[in-house]
């Protein structure tokens, strides 16, 4: 089979030929239709992600496809089932073996391209806003990087949860994507003063931040008393340092969120969250935004688009037709 393999830190992954894997006990083998790209994939290529596998490894964190083989002891699934899986690696290949506990069956209403773009982005935002920040109807949610893979989902989910959503992104095209996702107010991070604009809108009760750097600092200063700040990632490359004395004065809370980490210590939280999200999708309340697709042999073009921040929503690699 073909697979996109990382062999050396900082070197672009290459398409290689390798053997089709056999599922171990508790695993399913998936004939992969599509793989969603994530910012974490870029960090894995650099070797700086917290869960980077030992070299060499096949890139690709989340996939969709059809089960074609079951390992010993697997129950609840059958060959032919349409599934999505967060495997953490191994997704940019024609076949992959994954822990069955990480797989979810797909509703017939969800195409493979949307399924490959769904779990990490929507799962992260729902977990962050519902389980961690306890976002309440009527509160004001500020979403930084609001046109990115997770940012757009935070806009959508925030609106579904009854919040007033302020979307912050760079440029008219990205702001239009956030507007289409339901944002109530738009801030252009390239031309406007984030702190001043948010304060003029009454301040933020919850801040969702996949960017970090100067935008975090501006959002921090625009928080209302008892606001909750959620660092999701650091796309700017600048990891901000929290001034705890300022937390004290304004009674602020900073709530870290690492979606994949819940697989190890609270998988029930992810299961419940994904069930809610799948139901919302089936009811037409969520509209996954895939801005670009590339075939497997052009996967590096997709990674470049992500790296250069030229995408809105998700970039998906189509692996094979099913």
């Amino acid at each position: 089979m073909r697979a996109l393999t990382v062999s050396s830190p900082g070197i672009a992954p290459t398409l290689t030929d390798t053997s089709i894997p056999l599922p171990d006990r508790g695993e399913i083998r998936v004939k992969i239709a599509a793989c969603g790209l994530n910012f974490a994939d870029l960090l894995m290529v650099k070797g700086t992600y917290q869960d980077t596998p030992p070299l060499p490894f096949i890139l690709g964190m989340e996939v969709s496809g059809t089960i074609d083989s079951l390992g010993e002891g697997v129950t609840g699934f059958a060959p032919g089932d349409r599934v999505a899986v967060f495997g953490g690696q191994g997704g940019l290949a024609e076949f992959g073996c994954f822990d069955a506990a990480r797989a979810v069956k797909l509703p017939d209403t969800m195409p493979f391209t949307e399924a490959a773009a769904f779990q990490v982005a929507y799962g992260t935002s729902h977990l962050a806003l519902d389980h961690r920040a306890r976002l309440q109807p009527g509160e004001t949610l500020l979403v930084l990087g609001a046109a990115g893979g997770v940012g757009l989902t935070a806009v959508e989910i925030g609106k579904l949860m009854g919040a007033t959503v302020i979307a912050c992104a760079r440029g008219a095209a990205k702001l239009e994507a956030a507007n289409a996702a339901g944002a109530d107010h738009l801030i252009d991070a390239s031309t406007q003063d984030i702190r001043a604009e948010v304060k003029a809108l009454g301040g933020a009760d919850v801040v969702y931040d996949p960017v970090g750097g100067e935008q975090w600092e501006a959002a921090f200063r625009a928080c209302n008393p008892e606001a909750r700040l959620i660092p999701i990632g650091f796309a700017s490359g600048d990891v901000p340092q929290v001034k705890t004395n300022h937390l004290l004065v304004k009674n602020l809370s900073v709530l870290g969120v690492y979606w994949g980490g819940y697989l190890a210590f609270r998988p029930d939280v992810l299961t419940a969250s994904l069930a809610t999200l799948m139901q919302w999708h089936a009811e037409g309340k969520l509209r996954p935004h895939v801005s670009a697709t590339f075939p497997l042999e052009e996967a590096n073009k997709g990674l470049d688009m992500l790296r250069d921040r030229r995408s809105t929503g998700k970039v998906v690699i189509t692996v094979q037709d099913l």
Side-chain angles (χ1 to χ4, degrees), residues 68-146:
D68 87 324
S69 182
L70 302 177
E72 184 181 351
V74 173
T75 60
F77 294 99
D81 284 347
R82 300 172 72 250
V83 295
V85 186
F86 175 76
Q89 62 173 301
L92 288 168
E94 292 176 323
F95 293 85
C97 292
F98 307 102
D99 186 339
R102 294 190 172 205
V104 294
K105 293 182 182 179
L106 297 177
D108 294 337
T109 54
M110 184 178 287
F112 285 128
T113 50
E114 289 191 5
F118 194 82
Q119 285 190 95
V120 172
Y122 280 99
T124 295
S125 292
H126 185 255
L127 182 81
L129 297 177
D130 182 64
H131 180 70
R132 294 291 280 148
R134 308 293 184 186
L135 179 67
Q136 299 299 307
E139 289 190 312
T140 297
L141 167 66
L142 171 61
V143 181
L144 304 179

Side-chain angles (χ1 to χ4, degrees), residues 207-210 216 229-234 240 242 254-258:
V207 176
Y208 181 99
D209 180 19
W216 165 276
L229 298 100
I230 317 168
I232 299 296
F234 313 103
V242 178
V254 177
L255 307 167
V257 173
Y258 170 37

Side-chain angles (χ1 to χ4, degrees), residues 4-14 41-42 44-47 55 57 59 300 303 307:
L4 197 74
T5 303
V6 178
S7 300
S8 181
I11 304 300
T14 56
D41 291 312
L42 300 177
M44 282 192 185
V45 173
K46 293 169 63 177
L55 295 167
F57 64 90
L59 198 63
N300 279 312
L303 292 168
R307 184 181 296 107

Side-chain angles (χ1 to χ4, degrees), residues 15-91:
L15 200 61
T16 59
D17 290 318
T18 188
S19 300
I20 296 175
L22 296 174
D24 289 332
R25 182 177 179 81
E27 290 187 337
I28 56 173
R29 186 170 69 194
V30 178
K31 186 177 182 182
I32 297 171
C35 179
L37 298 185
N38 293 279
F39 190 77
D41 291 312
L42 300 177
L43 299 180
M44 282 192 185
V45 173
K46 293 169 63 177
T48 59
Y49 189 60
Q50 60 261 29
D51 283 337
T52 300
L55 295 167
F57 64 90
I58 298 171
L59 198 63
M61 300 180 70
E62 57 178 334
V63 304
S64 62
T66 302
I67 294 176
D68 87 324
S69 182
L70 302 177
E72 184 181 351
V74 173
T75 60
F77 294 99
D81 284 347
R82 300 172 72 250
V83 295
V85 186
F86 175 76
Q89 62 173 301

Side-chain angles (χ1 to χ4, degrees), residues 142-220:
L142 171 61
V143 181
L144 304 179
V150 292
L152 273 179
T153 65
V155 173
E156 277 190 280
I157 290 171
K159 284 299 296 179
L160 278 175
M161 293 179 69
T164 297
V165 179
I166 305 172
C168 181
R170 292 185 180 276
K174 292 189 174 184
L175 287 174
E176 178 52 38
N179 183 59
D184 297 287
H185 305 284
L186 306 173
I187 297 174
D188 190 332
S190 61
T191 60
Q192 294 178 281
D193 183 324
I194 296 173
R195 176 177 179 267
E197 296 293 332
V198 174
K199 293 288 282 185
L201 292 168
D205 299 307
V206 175
V207 176
Y208 181 99
D209 180 19
V211 179
E214 294 180 355
Q215 291 193 34
W216 165 276
E217 296 294 339
F220 191 100

